Amino acid sequence: MNRRMIKMNYAGATAKIFGSFDSNAEMIEKHFGVTLRNRESEAGDAIILEGEDEAAVEAASKCISYLHELSANTDILTEQSVQYAIDMISSGQSEALEKLGDECICLTTRGKPIKAKTVGQKRYVELIRKNTIVLGVGPAGTGKTFLAVAMAVRALREKQVNRIILTRPAIEAGEKLGFLPGDLQSKIDPYLRPLYDALYEMMGAEHYQKLVEKGTIEIAPLAYMRGRTLDDSFIILDEAQNATPEQMKMFLTRLGFNSKAVVTGDLSQTDLPRGQKSGLSTAVKILTGIDDIGIHYFSDCDVVRHRLVQKIIQAYERYDRELMRRDAEKQEKRNAKRKGEEK
């Protein structure tokens, strides 16, 4: 039997890797056909990895090494993170997985580094760094908005820009907003909460509030962008699938000198009235191939929320494909019937 030992020099790492009730260890053992044991030593916690297949032991050791590194930057190693590591290594992409932890985007208020957690997220971050405009399209839970905000905070801290502007389409100011108490800002705050949450984590509520008062950070509905030219700014348009083509064009043409714009959205969650085209969908088609504009598509593999989120997305995608197949079959039958009647 082949034997491989990995030593970790700080307490608690092994517990994170093994997971609650050894659930992570069981996933690794089941997939690679190996056994994992925990052993304490003078140098710290150690994991004994054993298996009859040398290649499987080597692959499992790479998975554990990655999880060991990831455990330093997170409180809990989720089942999704473990499964992602297993899938990447099994598909021969261990080198890409190892490079994920190369760069820290910025630090949270607790001093924890924010890094890309998937290869798709890393490509997205690289596109933001290299391009003036980036469109991030993909399902919920892929980190589109959070990473964009992290890149904006980094650019502000490094004095690459003078301010951060975050915007998203607000629900029309009728029944859906009118019943809420307070002024317009109070009414739109619930729809901007994800942006607040991301900034609070990276800056802290007090520091964030000071920057808002100075005008360094601005969060506003998309309608407020009309007629402005935004220089020296990092601008993020969130939930862009709910912008109309006219609103999208208006937003993109606000870009001024020394500015970046990131547009994020999920085309499967459009809340526009039936029959109304999404500005994000239109922009993706129109802007493809233009220099200095990057377009990144996230997949369900990039989901970093609860494992069920990934399964829910996959279920909805299967459902949508089945509906499209049925619609296509119905259309073919109608066409065939029409041709028969013409004859």
Side-chain angles (χ1 to χ4, degrees), residues 70-82:
L70 184 62
S71 69
N73 303 320
T74 185
D75 295 327
I76 299 173
L77 287 175
T78 65
E79 181 180 333
Q80 191 276 339
S81 297
V82 177

Side-chain angles (χ1 to χ4, degrees), residues 200-211:
Y200 287 170
E201 182 168 350
M202 296 171 207
M203 294 182 163
E206 185 176 344
H207 183 52
Y208 159 78
Q209 197 58 48
K210 288 180 180 179
L211 293 179

Side-chain angles (χ1 to χ4, degrees), residues 33 68 94 110 135 179 182 192 221 227 240 259 304 312 340:
H68 176 205
S94 58
R110 295 181 294 170
L135 280 65
F179 75 94
L192 302 173
S259 291
V304 291
I312 289 169

Side-chain angles (χ1 to χ4, degrees), residues 127-146:
L127 279 178
I128 294 175
R129 186 186 304 107
K130 295 176 182 178
N131 295 275
T132 300
I133 297 176
V134 171
L135 280 65
V137 184
T142 51
K144 302 182 298 293
T145 302
F146 188 79

Side-chain angles (χ1 to χ4, degrees), residues 238-283:
D238 191 31
E239 299 289 349
Q241 75 276 1
N242 291 330
T244 65
E246 294 77 17
Q247 288 175 323
M248 181 64 72
K249 180 181 177 182
M250 177 273 292
F251 170 79
L252 293 173
T253 53
R254 300 306 94 202
L255 195 68
F257 293 104
N258 191 41
S259 291
K260 275 185 180 289
V262 178
V263 178
T264 68
D266 179 2
L267 291 173
S268 69
Q269 295 189 18
T270 301
D271 298 319
L272 291 169
R274 185 179 296 275
Q276 172 68 65
K277 288 185 177 180
S278 167
L280 178 60
S281 176
T282 304

